[in-house]
Amino acid sequence: DAKTTQPPSMDCAEGRAANLPCNHSTISGNEYVYWYRQIHSQGPQYIIHGLKNNETNEMASLIITEDRKSSTLILPHATLRDTAVYYCIVANTGTASKLTFGTGTRLQVTL
Amino acid sequence: GAVVSQHPSWVICKSGTSVKIECRSLDFQATTMFWYRQFPKQSLMLMATSNEGSKATYEQGVEKDKFLINHASLTLSTLTVTSAHPEDSSFYICSAEKGGTNQPQHFGDGTRLSIL
């Protein structure tokens, strides 16, 4: 699976948009970009995933560059409850797709 | 939908005992489940892939005789840590894949294991 690079930490003011970048320059054509987050002492929570088109759901938006070498997760109105470690992972989809977790980005949302 | 439940959420045991952790997919069938381990201030590390009705596939460096995995049904996988020692103390997390294309994995809330 392709490796990802994320900044180790970011701060965001409550109510503002949080934009979390991810580089995945070695992504292959059949690999998706997945985003998960982990709040302290809990299991990872699925946020969103995409192949090449931008995606949006009730939690976030995912913007993937045209060359697919990077992406940005956008939390439109961050709240204190969004404080967590955010993981960007690239992997194949389908049965038995392994997810390789990197170190992620620790997002701290402040008042 | 796509809820994964783990039990117990927290367990403390004496050294040398065996501990069983259950992972259930509550509202979907999962032919494949995954077991991860996470040490403090580190990321999740995949231990093994659990396949319903067949033997689990272990990652390099994970002892299959120490971490016994059973995936007897489409909604239940168990991880047994045999003869646990203090160095096995960790946060164990499972995930389940709903099956089909374009489906993400969903994770349980983890089991914190402390061996005294």
Side-chain angles (χ1 to χ4, degrees):
Chain A
D1 292 335
K3 185 174 178 176
T4 62
T5 304
Q6 299 177 252
S9 64
M10 293 182 65
D11 291 333
C12 179
E14 189 176 34
R16 298 286 194 140
N19 298 292
L20 291 89
C22 180
N23 286 322
H24 32 79
S25 59
T26 60
I27 191 170
S28 61
N30 58 350
E31 288 183 317
Y32 282 68
V33 180
Y34 292 86
W35 282 85
Y36 286 83
R37 71 181 181 184
Q38 186 178 27
I39 296 169
H40 184 62
S41 296
Q42 296 181 22
Q45 178 188 21
Y46 166 74
I47 301 173
I48 198 167
H49 74 288
L51 183 62
K52 53 184 178 181
N53 296 322
N54 297 337
E55 302 287 344
T56 296
N57 63 21
E58 65 278 5
M59 290 183 68
S61 294
L62 173 60
I63 309 298
I64 303 174
T65 57
E66 194 168 340
D67 63 7
R68 303 211 319 126
K69 292 185 177 182
S70 66
S71 60
T72 302
L73 178 74
I74 301 173
L75 307 179
H77 305 287
T79 70
L80 296 177
R81 288 181 295 179
D82 293 321
T83 293
V85 178
Y86 287 75
Y87 296 100
C88 167
I89 302 167
V90 292
N92 292 312
T93 188
T95 304
S97 302
K98 296 182 183 180
L99 299 180
T100 301
F101 284 79
T103 52
T105 295
R106 182 171 297 278
L107 175 68
Q108 180 70 52
V109 181
T110 58
L111 291 171
Chain B
V3 177
V4 177
S5 174
Q6 266 185 257
H7 179 80
S9 56
W10 188 43
V11 58
I12 301 175
C13 290
K14 290 183 179 179
S15 184
T17 58
S18 294
V19 179
K20 180 185 283 189
I21 302 170
E22 292 185 348
C23 178
R24 294 181 185 272
S25 55
L26 296 186
D27 54 355
F28 65 99
Q29 293 184 330
T31 54
T32 304
M33 292 184 175
F34 302 85
W35 288 96
Y36 296 79
R37 181 167 53 181
Q38 185 175 31
F39 291 107
K41 298 188 178 181
Q42 294 185 22
S43 190
L44 283 78
M45 294 294 295
L46 180 66
M47 298 175 67
T49 302
S50 169
N51 302 296
E52 188 266 336
S54 64
K55 291 184 179 180
T57 304
Y58 291 82
E59 295 299 302
Q60 191 173 8
V62 178
E63 299 175 59
K64 63 179 182 180
D65 294 330
K66 180 163 185 65
F67 299 100
L68 301 179
I69 291 172
N70 184 275
H71 193 157
S73 79
L74 288 172
T75 58
L76 173 64
S77 175
T78 61
L79 169 69
T80 301
V81 183
T82 62
S83 187
H85 288 93
E87 58 267 28
D88 299 320
S89 298
S90 188
F91 192 46
Y92 292 86
I93 309 167
C94 73
S95 72
E97 197 170 81
K98 208 170 181 177
T101 58
N102 201 20
Q103 293 291 334
Q105 290 179 32
H106 294 275
F107 287 78
D109 269 341
T111 297
R112 189 158 302 283
L113 175 63
S114 296
I115 307 298
L116 304 177

